Amino acid sequence: MVWFRTHGVCLFMVAALVSHILRTQYRSFSKLAARSMSNVTYLGQEQAQNIDIELFDEYKFSIDQLMELAGLPVAKAVEKSYPNRGEILVVCGPGNNGGDGLVAARHLALFNYKPTVVYPKQPNKHPFPSLLHQVKAMGVSVSPSLPSNLSTYTCIVDAVFGFSFRGANNIRAPFDTIIPALVNTTVPIASVDVPSGWEVEEGSTNGIQPDVLISLTAPKLCAKQFRGRHHWLGGRFVPPALAQKYSLNLPEYPGADQVVLI
């Protein structure tokens, strides 16, 4: 009995000490993480374009390779944000953002979602025909027009315009009707990199207000106006030398994850 009381007290003291150390380390880590998140780099339009150019020219990434590396984290962010496997509408524009959307739709199909692609303008230049062929080969339905009833979808992936977009007041057909429909829907929207119709640096108070934003490479300045539920960062492919050149302060990805919350 004496042994139990003596050793019991010792064990209690050890447990209390370990608990104190863990709480102290957790508080330190939380403060460091918060400090790191508050200092995340936000890119202007020209910076984002220059980084893309260097990825192509200096680091020899191909355009379809970058779209694959962007589309997968988009799908992963959707999977983490909307874990109930339902119907997903992926609205793709004519540029690189639309290519990211096609890749994301293919991966969502592999993740056992039921994606449908809306692809009003389908470029004939590389790599878009191949990406379109691949998503169709997965059994994904592709339509040139937005469905009249959006309420059946768990989420709408907005992959229409990216960081090259200019002129929110001069959106051309058919996107001049698609964007207002996305603004007015009550279905949660996950925007890829830049909510479509937003100015890349200023954002928009009247445009699409996404539930989820998936920034790629680094968040753009407009992301500071994001007021939705989850802001993810994806695109885990930036060479360290390039990140250092542009002073990119980005959160660390946990483990082997393709996305991290900002």
Side-chain angles (χ1 to χ4, degrees), residues 85-102:
R85 265 52 178 179
E87 295 187 44
I88 305 288
L89 188 67
V90 184
V91 186
C92 297
N96 293 354
N97 226 41
D100 298 343
L102 292 174

Side-chain angles (χ1 to χ4, degrees), residues 93-116:
N96 293 354
N97 226 41
D100 298 343
L102 292 174
V103 173
R106 171 162 44 85
H107 285 292
L108 286 168
L110 290 168
F111 296 164
N112 295 320
Y113 286 85
K114 298 175 182 176
T116 297

Side-chain angles (χ1 to χ4, degrees), residues 57-120:
D57 294 348
E58 298 297 325
Y59 294 92
K60 307 306 177 185
F61 283 92
S62 62
I63 187 168
D64 45 347
Q65 187 181 12
L66 286 179
M67 286 181 182
E68 192 68 32
L69 289 168
L72 174 58
V74 168
K76 284 299 298 179
V78 170
E79 187 266 339
K80 287 176 178 290
S81 301
Y82 310 99
N84 295 327
R85 265 52 178 179
E87 295 187 44
I88 305 288
L89 188 67
V90 184
V91 186
C92 297
N96 293 354
N97 226 41
D100 298 343
L102 292 174
V103 173
R106 171 162 44 85
H107 285 292
L108 286 168
L110 290 168
F111 296 164
N112 295 320
Y113 286 85
K114 298 175 182 176
T116 297
V117 169
V118 173
Y119 200 23

Side-chain angles (χ1 to χ4, degrees), residues 223-238:
K224 293 183 177 183
Q225 307 301 320
F226 172 67
R227 297 294 181 267
R229 188 165 54 100
H230 293 318
H231 183 188
W232 297 96
L233 176 65
R236 193 175 182 176
F237 52 77
V238 180

